[in-house]
Structure formats: structure tokens, C-alpha cells
């Protein structure tokens, strides 16, 4: 039993124990049942309970063991098809075919389970780098005072007393002890989007357990307020765990759906192949069930059984490299491919494109000309306001003025009095001694333009002209301060009227130092950046212009609210800046972009960004984001830096490019071989290759293809989003598969000439075609992956050649040439070939290679022309 000896059991609904439900469950009753108190547990008690209850994680979220991964691999659709084909072979006593198929299944499952196990351990290690913590109150000994400290959420046990604040995840099922203004998001359990109010009341009413204000549940998050609570259930005993078990796995991602779509198409072909082969041979050659093992072997040859192994390896290697070199944590492996497919990135302005502080842009006189004297007056006012008013620190605008001013000129003034900034007046005024003029002081007033102009001695026309000058600066995305002065006799009190207007100081947002370079890099990779901000549209447009981002359009929240979903989908495509956005606007914009066919990433860090993070195809957040945002993100960055996103995009496209290369090359070669095998089986008086030979050839090719997990894709794969489109993939497979089949069938003529008739020696024919198949597959591997390859983040850098694919292809070619002459070849029914065959085969391979290069060039040109604009 995991439960505490005195803990209550399940409630009437069959849910987990809940010591806070029921009218009799007051705080004293809760403490008694949990064996704790308001001061929390001792360290010894917590350790003993942790051993008894285990980690505070949802059971299905724990890393599965290797045997469980192996069992899951056996349930893979490709593996299931292979097992069915193996059973068919065993049913007709084709034991050799059944044995080789079983070997393929075992090798595939072992490789996949081992790869996923390593990936799971690696991912768990990465998750620990951004592990969510909780503030817990524990005691060293029974008689010592409680100490508050941070621990990992996984270490929490029933009876712990925890503290919560805004943005915190609810770490377990809790009973509130004290609370202040607490509201909690619990949509994961109730589906309600609005946060629920919670408080430690003693008479909660009877509206249901989730409406009980005293109770908070794992899976929720704090929207506002603070609280102290006692843990009532952890891990698999929480209501979130029960709901998780009922709902099952989360929906498949875009990448997973694409792979599944391709997989089921291939599975249908594989299942249809044996009956088609049997019917064709029976109709044209009068053969019966003796061709069934050959038909099964051909179906196996069409199946890319190493696909799950390669996908896991590519994504795990990319995630580990990102974490090691750029501090980017991939919390969900398929998200690495999704960010490679991303073509739109939604970001906030402040903290991402700009830093949360202004800088001085220009100082202008009353005519709009540059005048450094205006900046000196404004900086002097900021300095002496800080000194004489005894302010703790300058505000952001004053800090910008002080940073831009000349320090020696600033120190030439001697402050006398100061009236600090007042939100009602919207002004700050200081009085300084005028250098060189004894008995005369100078009063400097700075603040909002309208407030300063009202206090200046100006005609209506002049005041209107200066107001227009300030408005033009503000419309250009700048903040504007007005500066005015007046002379006062020494000892006179400050007076904020009859002032002389001196000029304007304009300020802009301080740009993030790496933003311009990062944005240029994302644009070069085909990623369009959309700015979703709560700021004024002019400020956001100014930041984009300073960073070199072309602004195609601006949409404010009030206009957005008037648009229907189809209208927003069309408008969002050609809009760069979305201003005055609330959280619900960000979510709606994200959905609109997805409806327009885009793969959308969203960078956010606050609790208010949570809905958009969940909606986007890839949710991205910095490591110092709110805990609930970090927990729901797919990628976690070391800092809020767009450069790191550029590295993640490159890594995702690197992994996606390798997966796509594997699929294209493997499936086109397999399809070509199957077409040739079926054609040869109908043209020849004997089987073109024995079933065992077909399966051994397939095993060799599958093993060689694993090299793609360690390859570097062509630069073109890193310059644009790589979406795994099943239709485009099938077009490629059919086109290049047909070319491969032509090369295979051309070998008939070579064999007929070299062997003086294909019917003279079946063993020689089998050997010749076995060798030709492996050599053509080696040629395909090299030529369809050839080019100038770049490493992550440096697409122009050439790799060392030969790379892993070239070495693997060389090994495959060596097997094709040497195996027929070896003892193993003899056991498979292969024999040595005459020398003239190799010369003729070289001619066929040369023509095939030229055809491949021409077809590849045509395909690349067509893909470039067809590539849509973002």
C-alpha cells in the first residue's frame, strides 16, 4: 500500500484520496490524516515518505525501461507487417525466409529500443537542467524551526508544506492553509479557461471537488496571488494522473502525422504485394504457392523497417548537440523536426527585439535641428532630481539621459532645489546655479510635451507648431520629452510658468545586441518574424525598422476584434506587427497563421503567454520564464535570444534533412527493386533471386542506410523549412524508383550477353543481379546525398569527404562484389561471376549515375521554383 496508514481512501467517484473533501475535513483533520502539521515535515520524515511513495511524477511520464521499449517496438506497424510476413513464410515451411525476417525484426527492435532508451536518458538529463522547483517548508529535526528552501518537484511528498506565487505550477494535489488573492488556472482538469478563485475558507459549500476553493490540483498553475498549502497527494495518486490515464497520449504532432501517413501508404503496398505476385505468376507462369516465399521477400524489401530507428537517432543527436553547444533544451524530441519546418516565428518586442530600457535618439531645438545643449539641460535636471530629492534610483528615462550626457558638462552645474516628477503634473523641475552669473539661478523643467508647452510663454500658433513637431517624432515610434528653462533670482522659489521652451529629447527602445543579426539569419532560412506586442504600434514599427525588418503591415487589437477568422487568416499572412495585443489576441493570431498553412513557433515567457505557447506548433521559452510557461514549452532557451532560435532551426533542419534523405533514397531504391523483381519474375523461367538472397540484400542496405543519421544535409536543406510532405515524397519515390527499375532491367541485357542467355545458369544470374542491386543502391546513396554540406549554424562550410554515407556506400559496394565469391555466398546460392560481366556492369552503372544526376538537378530546380513565399 502506498497510502499513509491513516489516509483516507478513494472518494465516491472512484478518484484518488482527497483529504480536503467533505464537510468534516477541517485543517486539524487533514493534518492528522497526513501525519504532518503547519510547520511541515522533518527531513527524515520526507526521506522515508519519498522511499515509500516514489517520485512525484505522472506514471506514464517516467522514462520507460529497455524491455518496455523493446515491447513497444514490436508493436510498430512496420514490425507487425514483417512478423505477419514471417508467419506466412513459416506456414508454407519456408524456414530460411522466416528466419531472415525474424532476424530483421530482432535487429530493428533492438536498435530502436536501444536508441530510444539512450534518447530517453539524454532527454531526462536535459529536463533536469530546467527542472521545475517548488518552495517547501521543512525542519531538520522535530524540535527545530522550519526552514524554507527550493527542491525539485519530483522530491515532493504527501504532508509537505509548500508556498506558491504567481506563475508557479501546482506541484501536487494541495489543501490551502493560507492564501492572498489566489486564482488558479485548472483548464487541464476542468476545461475552464478563466482562472478559479481559491481561498482557505472553512465552509466551501458543495459545488463539486474542483470548485472547492480550499483545494488545488496538480496540472494547474497560479494566475495571481500567493498561498501556503499542504500536499495531500503526489505522483500517480493525484487527480491529474487519473485524468491523464483516461485521456491517453497527447495528439500527434505535424511531423508524427506526416511519418504515419507515409508509413501506412507503404504498409498497404507491402500487404498487397504478395497476393499480386502470386496472382501474376499463377496467370502468366502457372506457378503456385512455391512463389509465396519470393513474394514475401519482395514485400519485405519494400518495408523501411529501420525508419523508427533512424528518426529517433537523428532527433536525439540533434537535441544533444543543441544542449551541449547552444544551451537549448528540447523537451519533446519531435519538436526538433517541427522547428525545422517552422516558417513563421511570433515574438514579443520587449526583451526579444529590444531591451527593457530606452536610449537617447536625438536632442532637437525648437526648429527641429540637432542641439546638444537641450540634452545637457535635460540630463542636469535628471541628475539633480536624483540627488536632491533623495530618490533610490533614476527611472528608465532619466537613466537614458544620464548615460547619453557628457559627465564633465553635467558636473559644471550645482543643484539648489528639486521638485521630483509627479504623475499629476507630469513634470520634474530643478534649480541650479548658473555658471559665471552670481546671484542668478536657472530653473530647468522637463516632462511630457503637452505639460511643458502649457507652462511656456508661447503664442497659440507657436505652441501648435511645437506640438506638431513632437507628434511627428512620436508617430515615428519615439518617446518625446520637452525641456524648458527660466532664470530666477537666487533664493526665489521655483515657478512652473512663463518658461522658455528649449527643445525636445527623443528616445527609442534599446535594441537587443544580437537581434539584428539573428533576424537576418532567420530571414535567410525562410522564417518570417511576426511581432505580437502590447505596446504602441509606432514603437514596434520603429524597432523593426531599426533592426532592418521590413514591415508589411500593422494591425491593432481593436481592428483585430472586428475581423472574422477567415479574414484574420488572410490578413495575418501579410501583417508584420500586431500591436496592443492581449493574451487572447496572441492565441487567435497563432491559430490564424496555422489555418493559413504555416508552421508557427511562439516565443513567450509569462503566464499570459501560456495559451499561445500551447497553441503554436513549437512553444519556445527562456530558462528564466515562469514555471508554468517553461513546463508547457517544447524548447527552452538559455536566454531570451533569437540567435539560439536560429541554431535550433538549423539543428531541426539538419535532423529533418537526414530523415528526408533516408526516406527518399531508401524508398525509391526499394520501389525500383520491387518493380524490377516483379517484372523479372514474369519474364524469366525461374525466380530472379532466391527469397533468402532478397532478404540478405535488404538487410545489408538497411544497415548501410543508418549512416544517414550521422550525415550533414545539403545547404539547401538548411535554407528553407523542411516539411515532410507525403505527396511530394511519393512523387520523388515514383520518379527515382522508376529510374532505378530501368537500371535493374538493363542488367538483364548485360547478364544475357555475359552469361550467353539468362537461362543457362540460375546461380550466375542470381549472383549478377545481387551484385548489381547493391552497387546501384550504393550509387544512389552517394549521388543523391552529394554536395557541399554545412554544419549547424555554418551552411557554407564544406565537410570532409568521404563522409559517413560515402563510407557506408563503399562498404555496401564491397559486400556486393565480395559476397558471391565467399563461403557465405555459396551458402546463399551465389557463385563467382565472369570478368566480362563487371566491365559491362560498370557501363550500366555509369549511365545510371548520369541519369541520377540529371534527374536530381531537375528535381532541385523544380523544387526551388515551386517553393512558396512565406
Amino acid at each position: 500500500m502506498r497510502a499513509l496508514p491513516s489516509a483516507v481512501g478513494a472518494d465516491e467517484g472512484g478518484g484518488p484520496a482527497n483529504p480536503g473533501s467533505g464537510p468534516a475535513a477541517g485543517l486539524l483533520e487533514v493534518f492528522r490524516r497526513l501525519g504532518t502539521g503547519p510547520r511541515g515535515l522533518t527531513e527524515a520524515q520526507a526521506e522515508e515518505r519519498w522511499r515509500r511513495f516514489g517520485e512525484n511524477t505522472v506514471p506514464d511520464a517516467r522514462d520507460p525501461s529497455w524491455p518496455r521499449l523493446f515491447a513497444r517496438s514490436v508493436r510498430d506497424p512496420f514490425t507487425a507487417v514483417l512478423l505477419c510476413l514471417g508467419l506466412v513464410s513459416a506456414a508454407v515451411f519456408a524456414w530460411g525466409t522466416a528466419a531472415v525476417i525474424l532476424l530483421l525484426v530482432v535487429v530493428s527492435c533492438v536498435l530502436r529500443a536501444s536508441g530510444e532508451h539512450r534518447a530517453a536518458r539524454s532527454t531526462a538529463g536535459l529536463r533536469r537542467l530546467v527542472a521545475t522547483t517548488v518552495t517547501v517548508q521543512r525542519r531538520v529535526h522535530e524540535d527545530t524551526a522550519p526552514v524554507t528552501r527550493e527542491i525539485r518537484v519530483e522530491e515532493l511528498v504527501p504532508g509537505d508544506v509548500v508556498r506558491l506565487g504567481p506563475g508557479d505550477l501546482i506541484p501536487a494535489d494541495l489543501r490551502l492553509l493560507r492564501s492572498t488573492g489566489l486564482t488558479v488556472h485548472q483548464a487541464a482538469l476542468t476545461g475552464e479557461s478563466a482562472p478559479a478563485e481559491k481561498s482557505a475558507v472553512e465552509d466551501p459549500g458543495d459545488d463539486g471537488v474542483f470548485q472547492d476553493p480550499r483545494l488545488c490540483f496538480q496540472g494547474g498553475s497560479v494566475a495571481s496571488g500567493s498561498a501556503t498549502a499542504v500536499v495531500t497527494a503526489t505522483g500517480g495518486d493525484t487527480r491529474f494522473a487519473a485524468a491523464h490515464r483516461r485521456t491517453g497520449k497527447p495528439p500527434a504532432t505535424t511531423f508524427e502525422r506526416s511519418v504515419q501517413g507515409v508509413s501506412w501508404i507503404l504498409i498497404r503496398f507491402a500487404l498487397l504485394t504478395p497476393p499480386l505476385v502470386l496472382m501474376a505468376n499463377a496467370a502468366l507462369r502457372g506457378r503456385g504457392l512455391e512463389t509465396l516465399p519470393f513474394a514475401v521477400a519482395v514485400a519485405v524489401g519494400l518495408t523501411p523497417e529501420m525508419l523508427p530507428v533512424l528518426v529517433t537517432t537523428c532527433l536525439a543527436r540533434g537535441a544533444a548537440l543543441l544542449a551541449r553547444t547552444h544551451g537549448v533544451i528540447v523537451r519533446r524530441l519531435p519538436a526538433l523536426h517541427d522547428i525545422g519546418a517552422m516558417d513563421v516565428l511570433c515574438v514579443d518586442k520587449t526583451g526579444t527585439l529590444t531591451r527593457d530600457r530606452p536610449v537617447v535618439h536625438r536632442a532637437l531645438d525648437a526648429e527641429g535641428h540637432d542641439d546638444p545643449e537641450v540634452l545637457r539641460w535635460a540630463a542636469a535636471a535628471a541628475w539633480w532630481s536624483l540627488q536632491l530629492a533623495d530618490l533610490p534610483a533614476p527611472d528608465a528615462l532619466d537613466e537614458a539621459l544620464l548615460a547619453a550626457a557628457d559627465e564633465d558638462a553635467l558636473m559644471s552645474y550645482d543643484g539648489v532645489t528639486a521638485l521630483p516628477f509627479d504623475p499629476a503634473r507630469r513634470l520634474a523641475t530643478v534649480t541650479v546655479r548658473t555658471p559665471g552669473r552670481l546671484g542668478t539661478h536657472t530653473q530647468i523643467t522637463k516632462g511630457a510635451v503637452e505639460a511643458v508647452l502649457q507652462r511656456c510663454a508661447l503664442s497659440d500658433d507657436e505652441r501648435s507648431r511645437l506640438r506638431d513637431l513632437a507628434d511627428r517624432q512620436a508617430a515615428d515610434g519615439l518617446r518625446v520629452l520637452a525641456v524648458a528653462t527660466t532664470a530666477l533670482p537666487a533664493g526665489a522659489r521655483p515657478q512652473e510658468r512663463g518658461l522658455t521652451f528649449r527643445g525636445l529629447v527623443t528616445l527609442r527602445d534599446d535594441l537587443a545586441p544580437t537581434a539584428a543579426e539573428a533576424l537576418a539569419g532567420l530571414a535567410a532560412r525562410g522564417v518570417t518574424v511576426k511581432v505580437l506586442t502590447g505596446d504602441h504600434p509606432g514603437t514596434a514599427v520603429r524597432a523593426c525598422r531599426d533592426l532592418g525588418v521590413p514591415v508589411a503591415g500593422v494591425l491593432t487589437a481593436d481592428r483585430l476584434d472586428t475581423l472574422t477568422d477567415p479574414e484574420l487568416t488572410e490578413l495575418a499572412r501579410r501583417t508584420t506587427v500586431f500591436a496592443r495585443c492581449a493574451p487572447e489576441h496572441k492565441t487567435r493570431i497563432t491559430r490564424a497563421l496555422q489555418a493559413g498553412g504555416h508552421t508557427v513557433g511562439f516565443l513567450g515567457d509569462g503566464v499570459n503567454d501560456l495559451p499561445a505557447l500551447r497553441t503554436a506548433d513549437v512553444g519556445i521559452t527562456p530558462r528564466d520564464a515562469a514555471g508554468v510557461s517553461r513546463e508547457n514549452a517544447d524548447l527552452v532557451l538559455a536566454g531570451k535570444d533569437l540567435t539560439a532560435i536560429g541554431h535550433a532551426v538549423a539543428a531541426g533542419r539538419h535532423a529533418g534533412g537526414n530523415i528526408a534523405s533516408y526516406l527518399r533514397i531508401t524508398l525509391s531504391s526499394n520501389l525500383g527493386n520491387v518493380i524490377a523483381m516483379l517484372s523479372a519474375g514474369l519474364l524469366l523461367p525461374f525466380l530472379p533471386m532466391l527469397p533468402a538472397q532478397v532478404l540478405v540484400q535488404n538487410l545489408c542496405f538497411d544497415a548501410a542506410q543508418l549512416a544517414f543519421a550521422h550525415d550533414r544535409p545539403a545547404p539547401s536543406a538548411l535554407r528553407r523549412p523542411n516539411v515532410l510532405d507525403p505527396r511530394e515524397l511519393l512523387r520523388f519515390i515514383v520518379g527515382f524508383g522508376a529510374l532505378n527499375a530501368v537500371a535493374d532491367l538493363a542488367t538483364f541485357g548485360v547478364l544475357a550477353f555475359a552469361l550467353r542467355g539468362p537461362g543457362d545458369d540460375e546461380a550466375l544470374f542470381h549472383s549478377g543481379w545481387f551484385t548489381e542491386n547493391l552497387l546501384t543502391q550504393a550509387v544512389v546513396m552517394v549521388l543523391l546525398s552529394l554536395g557541399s554540406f554545412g554544419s549547424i549554424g555554418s551552411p557554407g562550410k564544406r565537410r570532409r569527404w568521404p563522409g559517413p554515407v560515402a563510407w557506408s556506400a563503399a562498404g555496401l559496394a564491397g559486400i556486393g562484389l565480395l559476397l558471391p565469391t565467399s563461403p557465405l555466398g555459396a551458402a546463399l546460392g551465389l557463385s563467382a561471376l565472369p570478368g566480362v560481366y563487371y566491365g559491362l556492369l560498370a557501363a550500366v552503372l555509369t549511365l545510371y549515375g548520369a541519369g541520377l544526376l540529371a534527374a536530381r538537378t531537375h528535381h532541385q530546380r523544380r523544387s526551388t521554383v515551386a517553393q512558396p513565399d512565406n
Side-chain angles (χ1 to χ4, degrees):
M1 286 287 289
R2 282 170 43 88
L4 293 167
S6 57
V8 294
D11 62 19
E12 293 179 2
N18 193 337
S21 62
L27 278 179
L28 292 178
E29 179 68 11
V30 171
F31 287 145
R32 185 184 67 80
R33 291 172 177 171
L34 291 170
T36 186
R39 298 194 302 161
L41 301 172
T42 65
E43 294 292 350
Q45 288 174 325
E47 184 177 352
E48 186 274 331
R49 294 189 184 191
W50 190 85
R51 285 196 299 267
R52 191 193 325 172
F53 286 86
E55 287 192 346
N56 177 34
T57 57
V58 179
D60 291 343
R62 293 170 183 162
D63 296 329
S65 62
W66 192 94
R68 185 175 178 183
L69 289 172
F70 184 87
R72 184 190 300 171
S73 301
V74 175
R75 297 197 303 270
D76 180 78
F78 287 134
T79 305
V81 169
L82 288 179
L83 286 174
C84 290
L85 295 174
L87 290 174
V88 171
S89 300
V92 296
F93 305 106
W95 301 113
T97 303
V100 176
I101 292 176
L102 180 61
L103 177 62
L104 281 172
V105 169
V106 171
V107 169
S108 174
C109 291
V110 167
L111 289 175
R112 180 179 179 182
S114 300
E116 291 186 349
H117 188 58
R118 286 194 301 271
R121 287 189 300 175
S122 176
T123 305
L126 298 179
R127 285 200 303 266
R128 283 193 289 271
L129 296 177
V130 291
T132 303
T133 61
V134 61
T135 303
V136 68
Q137 181 177 295
R138 286 180 180 171
R139 295 168 291 155
V140 178
H141 301 293
E142 189 69 37
D143 54 351
T144 57
V147 177
T148 300
R149 64 185 181 91
E150 295 281 326
I151 64 170
R152 292 192 309 122
V153 166
E154 290 80 3
E155 299 174 10
L156 210 60
V157 296
D160 267 325
V161 173
V162 299
R163 296 183 180 179
L164 303 174
D168 286 347
L169 292 168
I170 304 298
D173 286 358
L174 308 176
R175 167 65 154 84
L176 295 178
L177 305 181
R178 295 180 299 277
S179 65
T180 303
L182 184 67
T183 61
V184 173
H185 288 292
Q186 49 187 25
L189 290 164
T190 65
E192 298 173 354
S193 57
E197 295 184 3
K198 300 288 183 176
S199 61
V201 297
E202 284 302 322
D203 186 15
D206 190 19
D207 296 328
V209 65
F210 292 117
Q211 281 68 44
D212 190 330
R214 304 171 303 173
L215 305 180
C216 299
F217 301 96
Q218 186 182 43
S221 60
V222 178
S224 63
S226 60
T228 301
V230 61
V231 176
T232 60
T234 60
D237 295 331
T238 63
R239 290 184 176 273
F240 180 77
H244 183 78
R245 284 190 291 269
R246 289 194 297 269
T247 56
K249 296 192 301 181
T253 64
T254 302
F255 169 65
E256 291 167 334
R257 289 195 298 270
S258 299
V259 171
Q260 289 169 3
V262 174
S263 300
W264 282 110
I265 291 173
L266 296 172
I267 287 170
R268 292 186 186 99
F269 274 118
L271 293 176
L272 286 174
T273 298
L276 288 176
V277 173
L278 286 174
M279 288 187 292
N281 275 273
L284 299 179
R285 287 291 177 181
R287 298 169 184 156
L289 287 177
E290 66 271 13
T291 60
L292 182 58
F294 173 73
V296 169
V298 171
V300 172
L302 188 63
T303 306
E305 56 271 6
M306 295 298 172
L307 175 60
V309 178
L310 187 124
V311 168
T312 300
T313 304
C314 285
L315 297 179
R317 290 186 75 249
L321 181 62
L322 267 181
R324 186 170 63 251
T325 58
H326 302 296
V328 179
I329 308 303
V330 180
R331 301 189 72 253
R332 182 178 58 84
L333 279 184
L336 186 62
H337 179 275
D338 291 339
I339 198 170
M342 179 182 72
D343 62 340
V344 172
L345 174 64
C346 298
V347 302
D348 194 1
K349 176 183 69 67
T350 305
T352 304
L353 304 182
T354 63
R355 292 193 282 193
D356 194 14
R357 67 184 189 192
V359 293
V360 172
H361 180 243
R362 295 176 68 189
L364 307 174
D365 62 15
E367 302 302 321
H369 303 133
D370 289 326
D371 185 355
E373 186 70 18
V374 176
L375 176 60
R376 285 195 288 272
W377 286 120
W383 173 255
W384 288 110
S385 290
L386 180 65
Q387 302 300 317
L388 298 176
D390 196 24
L391 299 176
D395 65 17
L397 296 181
D398 283 352
E399 191 172 13
L401 294 172
L402 295 174
D406 180 77
E407 187 175 349
D408 293 336
L410 194 62
M411 292 299 102
S412 64
Y413 298 101
D414 189 10
V416 179
T417 60
L419 295 175
F421 180 82
D422 181 356
R425 293 164 39 246
R426 297 188 297 160
L427 297 171
T429 296
V430 301
T431 304
V432 298
R433 293 184 177 88
T434 307
R437 297 179 60 185
L438 294 176
T440 303
H441 293 169
T442 300
Q443 177 185 297
I444 310 169
T445 298
K446 67 173 179 64
V449 173
E450 190 63 35
V452 172
L453 290 178
Q454 287 176 357
R455 290 164 173 79
C456 290
L458 297 169
S459 66
D460 290 342
D461 290 343
E462 184 67 7
R463 185 176 286 108
S464 177
R465 184 185 68 81
L466 293 173
R467 189 182 295 114
D468 289 342
L469 174 63
D471 289 344
R472 287 197 299 273
Q473 303 302 315
D476 201 26
L478 300 170
R479 304 184 195 183
V480 185
L481 289 176
V483 181
T485 65
T486 189
L488 294 176
R493 298 180 61 183
Q495 54 182 17
E496 293 175 339
R497 61 181 183 275
L499 307 178
T500 301
F501 183 81
R502 291 293 183 178
L504 304 172
V505 178
T506 61
L507 303 99
R508 60 171 175 80
D509 286 328
D510 188 16
L511 303 179
T514 61
E517 179 183 358
L519 289 170
L522 288 171
R525 291 189 171 105
V527 178
T528 301
V529 173
K530 307 282 188 181
V531 180
L532 280 58
T533 180
D535 282 354
H536 187 279
T539 306
V541 170
R542 176 81 200 195
C544 290
R545 188 167 66 246
D546 290 343
L547 290 168
V549 177
V551 178
V554 180
L555 185 64
T556 56
D558 54 353
R559 171 74 197 290
L560 190 151
D561 289 334
T562 66
L563 299 174
T564 63
D565 289 343
E567 290 172 339
L568 180 58
T569 296
E570 176 60 27
L571 195 56
R573 183 180 60 84
R574 57 179 190 268
T575 300
T576 303
V577 173
F578 300 84
R580 303 299 192 191
C581 287
E584 58 271 18
H585 294 130
K586 296 180 181 181
T587 305
R588 192 177 173 212
I589 293 165
T590 302
R591 288 200 183 102
L593 290 167
Q594 290 172 323
H598 296 285
T599 301
V600 183
F602 185 91
L603 174 62
D605 59 357
V607 177
N608 60 341
D609 292 324
L610 182 58
L613 281 169
R614 286 174 169 168
T615 302
D617 297 288
V618 186
I620 310 168
T621 194
R623 192 175 297 185
D624 58 357
V628 63
S629 299
R630 192 170 63 242
E631 190 69 18
N632 283 273
D634 300 309
L635 270 70
V636 179
L637 312 179
K640 202 172 184 181
D641 185 0
L642 290 177
T643 304
I645 297 180
H647 293 308
V649 168
R653 293 181 184 177
H654 183 117
N658 285 343
I659 294 169
S661 294
Y662 167 82
L663 285 170
R664 290 190 180 102
I665 293 172
T666 298
L667 298 179
S668 60
S669 295
N670 288 356
L671 180 62
N673 287 337
V674 167
I675 294 173
M677 288 282 185
L678 295 177
S679 302
L682 299 177
L683 294 173
L684 297 174
F686 53 82
L687 292 178
M689 201 178 292
L690 298 178
Q693 295 167 355
V694 176
L695 294 172
V696 169
Q697 171 191 276
N698 187 58
L699 179 61
C700 293
F701 189 40
D702 284 338
Q705 292 290 329
L706 293 177
F708 280 106
H710 305 273
D711 196 35
R712 290 177 180 157
S716 59
L718 302 179
R719 286 196 294 265
R720 61 177 184 265
N722 49 15
V723 179
L724 190 60
D725 183 357
R727 292 184 179 180
E728 187 277 333
L729 181 61
L730 288 175
R731 284 195 296 268
F732 184 98
I733 293 169
V734 171
F736 282 84
L739 186 61
N740 183 277
V742 170
D744 284 345
L745 293 173
T747 308
F748 281 179
V750 171
L751 289 169
F753 181 83
L755 305 177
R756 301 188 184 279
D760 293 347
D761 192 334
E762 290 186 27
L764 285 177
F765 188 92
H766 294 161
S767 301
W769 206 2
F770 182 91
T771 298
E772 184 270 347
N773 273 337
L774 291 188
L775 289 178
T776 54
Q777 288 172 340
V779 169
V780 169
M781 287 178 63
V782 172
L783 294 187
L784 291 191
S785 63
L786 193 63
S788 173
F789 294 86
S791 60
I792 292 177
S794 54
K797 182 179 177 181
R798 288 185 176 270
R799 70 168 186 176
R800 297 176 182 176
W801 202 91
V805 171
W807 282 115
S808 185
L812 187 65
I815 292 173
L817 293 170
L818 300 176
L819 186 62
T821 62
S822 68
L824 180 58
L828 290 172
L830 303 175
S831 60
L833 293 160
V836 66
Y837 169 75
Y838 294 104
L840 294 172
L841 180 59
V844 172
L845 292 176
T846 300
L847 292 174
Y848 177 53
L852 271 180
L853 289 175
R856 189 189 75 163
T857 301
H858 174 73
H859 176 78
Q860 289 176 339
R861 188 182 300 116
R862 183 177 177 182
S863 298
T864 301
V865 172
Q867 184 68 24
D869 296 331
N870 287 326

